[in-house]
């Protein structure tokens, strides 16, 4: 019977050191799941809300400065020939959406973020799956 109190003395400090919930150690190490989840998917490319916001902010800064990224033509006016139902009014500007980093020139890839000069996000579109030089909406853009 003396074994039980001795065992409790050994185990009690260990149990107090354990996390109280399973999410505590994960959230302290990793970023929240929401930040890693796809906010939109263009073709097979997944973009987080942070990536979309970075592209949107870069585009708006270039538009307000009257400049473009790395000698490219981006951002430039997007005429919405495809007739997307964006939740905000134009005029619209298109800017490349990159899987890694923010576009600074060179090949733009297939994916775009659509913004207004005032900084509103209109949506995300892609050439992937579209015919010719047209666009189709990424998930969430119709």
């Amino acid at each position: 019977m003396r074994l039980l109190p001795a065992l409790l003395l050994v185990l009690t400090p260990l149990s107090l050191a354990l996390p109280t919930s399973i999410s505590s150690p994960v959230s302290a190490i990793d970023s929240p799941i929401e930040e890693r989840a796809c906010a939109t998917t263009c073709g097979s490319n997944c973009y987080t809300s942070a990536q979309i916001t970075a592209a949107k902010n870069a585009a708006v800064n270039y538009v307000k400065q009257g400049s473009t990224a790395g000698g490219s033509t981006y951002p430039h006016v997007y005429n919405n020939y495809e007739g997307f139902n964006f939740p905000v009014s134009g005029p619209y500007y298109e800017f490349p959406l990159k899987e890694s980093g923010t576009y600074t020139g060179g090949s733009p890839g297939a994916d775009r973020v659509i913004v207004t000069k005032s900084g509103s996000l209109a949506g995300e579109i892609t050439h992937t799956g579209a015919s010719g030089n047209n666009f189709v909406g990424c998930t969430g853009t119709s």
Side-chain angles (χ1 to χ4, degrees):
M1 289 293 165
R2 289 184 189 203
L3 183 60
L4 187 59
L7 186 58
L8 286 174
L9 281 172
V10 170
L11 293 179
T12 299
L14 289 175
S15 66
L16 292 174
L18 294 174
T20 58
S21 73
I22 203 159
S23 64
S24 292
V26 173
S27 63
I29 297 170
D30 295 330
S31 61
I33 290 173
E34 296 82 34
E35 289 182 19
R36 293 178 293 164
C38 297
T40 194
T41 302
C42 302
S44 61
N45 297 333
C46 164
Y47 295 101
T48 65
S49 58
Q51 290 170 303
I52 294 167
T53 298
K56 176 191 75 109
N57 290 343
V60 170
N61 285 336
Y62 284 119
V63 170
K64 288 184 176 180
Q65 294 171 7
S67 62
T68 59
S72 71
T73 63
Y74 296 100
H76 57 247
V77 172
Y78 173 69
N79 293 306
N80 195 16
Y81 294 130
E82 294 84 359
F84 292 108
N85 295 314
F86 295 126
V88 294
S89 298
Y92 303 112
Y93 296 86
E94 72 174 272
F95 191 74
L97 188 55
K98 303 299 280 182
E99 288 183 89
S100 178
T102 303
Y103 179 77
T104 57
S107 175
D111 307 330
R112 306 284 187 275
V113 64
I114 305 299
V115 300
T116 65
K117 185 175 186 172
S118 65
S120 296
L121 176 65
E124 302 83 23
I125 60 177
T126 183
H127 286 299
T128 303
S131 60
N133 200 32
N134 293 326
F135 288 101
V136 294
C138 300
T139 56
T141 300
S142 57

